[in-house]
Amino acid sequence: MLNFPPLYSTARCDAIARLVENNYPIEAPVSCQMLERGLNDVYRITGQNAERYIFRLSQHRARGPADVRSETAFLTHLARSGVPVAAPIETRDGRFFVETDAPEGPRPGVLFQALDGREPDAADLDDARAHGKTLAMLHNAAESFSAEEARYRLELDYLLWQPLARIGQSGLVEDPDVFKEFERLAEETSNAIKAFGELTWTYCHGDCHGFNARIDAAGEAVFFDFDDSGPGYLAYDLSVFLWANVSFGRSSTRRWSAFIEAYRAIRPIKADDFEAALHFVIVRHFWLMGEYASRADEWGRNTVRWVAREAEFLKAWQASQLSGRLL
């Protein structure tokens, strides 16, 4: 028995290579390199004939186990529907994920075809348009996908109230007045969203912030990183792109306009969904703060202490965009 059970272990590259060789129809030997570690561990896999793959080993999160079953089912549906995505690779026994035994508990892994193309350019309006087009195609295809088995629903309890609770539990916000401000902002945002009534529900990418894609030779945005996907508000899925262009000191509303223009060329947006997306920027920021706050013991408090300072951004967004309507 371990004297100090780990919160998070890191698998060796040679172990991941053996895992892939043992489970996938890829000619051995394969080589493996770690690309990044954090919310998930991501590895580059290269087969004997130089074919390239990406293996993602999911981490435990405060929300619970990764919903790889629904994620891979959705990705397979999208690929068959002609939506440009990084589809999962089947194992030899016809599954789309494997289970590993890590010291901290089971961790599922998924193998994806590696994508060609370049990383999106934050200053390129055509790249923003490409994202809007692919997200619209995704939402069109989602209309024929059954989400009955999805583990998580991207609704206000999951996106707003649970993250707020994690912020409180982390102890990162030491000033009680600041936490009261977080509570006020969450309450007012929740009430504003509920006031819209029946907002459009769809299956969301969940993390379409403009960089979970590759731009291929045809200029299309090919999406990956669906581990935050699930059934939820369409307005939230739109808002993530806006949030990524206005948070943490950024102010690129031209990219948002280009994104929406391209989305609307494929799929209309109801007025209430568009208006609600502005409120969901606050929800998205709470979601991210909750994710980081829940990792305080794992990553260290110095890494996540920025969470306590974010009330100013949220108040400024509420005042300028929701009251003054600068957009």
Side-chain angles (χ1 to χ4, degrees):
M1 180 178 292
L2 296 173
N3 291 326
F4 301 102
L7 285 171
Y8 166 34
S9 63
T10 303
R12 292 166 51 109
C13 287
D14 58 348
I16 295 297
R18 288 196 302 272
L19 179 71
V20 170
E21 288 177 354
N22 292 337
N23 287 278
Y24 291 91
I26 299 173
E27 192 171 351
V30 305
S31 63
C32 174
Q33 295 176 318
M34 173 168 266
L35 296 180
E36 55 185 66
R37 66 195 294 274
L39 292 173
N40 297 301
D41 293 341
V42 182
Y43 300 83
R44 178 191 290 118
I45 301 294
T46 305
Q48 185 184 49
N49 299 314
E51 65 272 32
R52 298 179 302 113
Y53 306 90
I54 297 295
F55 185 78
R56 189 198 70 211
L57 190 60
S58 298
Q59 244 221 79
H60 289 267
R61 298 195 189 182
R63 68 184 180 195
D67 190 8
V68 291
R69 188 179 303 278
S70 293
E71 176 196 358
T72 54
F74 185 48
L75 275 167
T76 303
H77 173 78
L78 292 177
R80 290 171 179 167
S81 301
V83 181
V85 296
I89 306 296
E90 278 188 279
T91 63
R92 287 195 179 92
D93 59 2
R95 295 177 299 143
F96 284 104
F97 60 92
V98 295
E99 291 283 352
T100 66
D101 291 321
E104 67 271 29
R107 292 175 62 181
V110 181
L111 186 70
F112 303 91
Q113 192 77 46
L115 296 178
D116 294 321
R118 61 173 174 82
E119 293 186 5
D121 184 340
D124 192 322
L125 295 184
D126 284 338
D127 285 4
R129 293 185 184 96
H131 277 77
K133 176 184 176 182
T134 299
L135 189 64
M137 293 172 66
L138 183 155
H139 289 157
N140 279 341
E143 293 180 0
S144 56
F145 178 72
S146 173
E148 291 181 2
E149 295 184 5
R151 179 173 285 157
Y152 304 109
R153 297 171 65 83
L154 279 59
E155 53 194 358
L156 289 178
D157 181 61
Y158 178 86
L159 296 169
L160 178 63
W161 295 114
Q162 290 182 31
L164 178 64
R166 290 176 196 132
I167 295 168
Q169 292 160 5
S170 72
L172 291 169
V173 183
E174 297 177 353
D175 186 337
D177 290 335
V178 172
F179 192 73
K180 286 179 183 177
E181 195 67 2
F182 280 145
E183 291 177 317
R184 178 191 67 80
L185 287 158
E187 185 70 34
E188 291 181 0
T189 301
S190 176
N191 290 339
I193 290 170
K194 289 177 181 178
F196 284 107
E198 196 89 12
L199 292 171
T200 301
W201 195 256
T202 187
Y203 208 94
C204 299
H205 178 281
D207 205 21
C208 180
H209 50 56
F211 296 96
N212 281 331
R214 289 292 179 267
I215 306 299
D216 68 12
E220 283 196 312
V222 186
F223 283 4
F224 60 85
D225 203 5
F226 278 72
D227 65 320
D228 291 317
S229 63
Y233 290 105
L234 182 142
Y236 174 73
D237 224 17
L238 295 175
S239 78
V240 174
F241 194 86
L242 174 58
W243 165 84
N245 286 279
V246 298
S247 57
F248 300 108
R250 298 177 289 248
S251 57
S252 180
T253 55
R254 291 179 65 221
R255 293 192 77 231
W256 166 246
S257 298
F259 170 85
I260 289 297
E261 172 193 4
Y263 186 101
R264 283 177 166 150
I266 302 293
R267 177 185 173 92
I269 303 173
K270 288 167 45 179
D272 279 357
D273 291 324
F274 184 77
E275 293 293 320
L278 302 182
H279 295 273
F280 272 106
V281 167
I282 292 178
V283 173
R284 169 64 180 195
H285 210 65
F286 269 109
W287 175 86
L288 186 74
M289 291 191 297
E291 283 287 301
Y292 273 73
S294 70
R295 299 305 179 105
D297 288 343
E298 179 185 320
W299 292 344
R301 300 179 69 83
N302 285 345
T303 303
V304 300
R305 62 184 177 183
W306 61 267
V307 169
R309 302 191 293 266
E310 292 305 297
E312 292 306 312
F313 163 70
L314 296 171
K315 287 190 294 184
W317 179 260
Q318 184 186 61
S320 65
Q321 303 300 337
L322 304 180
S323 301
R325 290 306 305 273
L326 297 181
L327 268 182

